[in-house]
Amino acid sequence: MADKLLIPRDQWLALMAELRRRGGGRTESGAFLLGKRQGDRRLFERCVFYDDLDANAYSTGVCILYADAFERLWGICRSSGLQVLADVHTHGGAATQSEADRRNPMIARPGHLALIVERFARDPVWRHRMGLYRYEGSHAWTNLSGWRSRRILNTGTFT
Ligand SMILES: [Zn+2]
């Protein structure tokens, strides 16, 4: 049974709106989702957008981060006591992993979740049309996209 990722609905909608705004309908945009693990639940607390780690993160049209950006990210994790639960980025087209996505996990740690949102996160964002992939290590991923994502990704209201 895979971990569940819980994101309160208002924060989820705000995240989608911010990804949409930062990509401007022209480039990909992305963020790390930070929070805490509690048993088999991953509780989202805040996100860190790629362009806040590196202002040029989207300049090629796709999301690219270098070592400096990761240094900043680890600094935020240290000072906040949070860990990276997942990452999310947008695609202009379908929310399927690109070859680059597959070969270059943002966090190469088994269990890491990578979310992809189609159409630069244009409204409305349908959860069952999102890409959801779990990294298994050694460049292997499990595709949990589509309706399967409902078992993992919970963006409803909860306490
Ligand atoms: Zn991608």
Side-chain angles (χ1 to χ4, degrees):
M1 188 62 194
D3 284 8
K4 281 196 191 318
L5 175 60
L6 287 81
I7 307 176
R9 183 160 184 79
D10 55 340
Q11 285 176 291
W12 170 256
L13 294 174
L15 168 61
M16 291 301 119
E18 200 58 18
L19 287 174
R20 190 178 310 137
R21 186 182 73 75
R22 291 172 187 247
R26 294 182 310 276
T27 69
E28 295 185 1
S29 56
F32 291 106
L33 308 186
L34 273 51
K36 291 184 171 155
R37 289 176 188 240
Q38 194 180 80
D40 64 352
R41 307 198 312 164
R42 304 180 194 203
L43 308 176
F44 170 86
E45 290 200 15
R46 58 170 290 199
C47 49
V48 176
F49 292 93
Y50 293 168
D51 54 311
D52 288 337
L53 297 171
D54 179 349
N56 295 316
Y58 314 139
S59 61
T60 64
V62 300
C63 298
I64 296 178
L65 291 179
Y66 296 101
D68 285 0
F70 285 94
E71 282 307 312
R72 287 188 194 103
L73 175 64
W74 305 139
I76 292 167
C77 288
R78 271 194 303 274
S79 60
S80 64
L82 302 175
Q83 48 184 296
V84 179
L85 305 175
D87 67 68
V88 58
H89 75 283
T90 64
H91 278 180
T96 45
Q97 264 188 330
S98 69
E99 189 65 13
D101 291 337
R102 204 174 59 73
R103 287 173 179 273
N104 306 296
M106 275 293 182
I107 307 288
R109 185 189 299 147
H112 179 74
L113 294 170
L115 281 72
I116 305 174
V117 184
E118 63 169 1
R119 303 180 306 130
F120 296 132
R122 213 182 308 152
D123 219 15
V125 171
W126 300 105
R127 199 171 37 163
H128 67 275
R129 294 185 59 100
M130 289 185 41
L132 176 63
Y133 299 86
R134 187 178 64 222
Y135 190 60
E136 309 293 2
S138 308
H139 298 275
W141 297 83
T142 299
N143 185 350
L144 299 163
S145 307
W147 296 108
R148 280 165 295 182
S149 71
R150 285 173 166 237
R151 290 205 304 258
I152 310 285
L153 180 62
N154 183 328
T155 56
T157 310
F158 56 86
T159 53

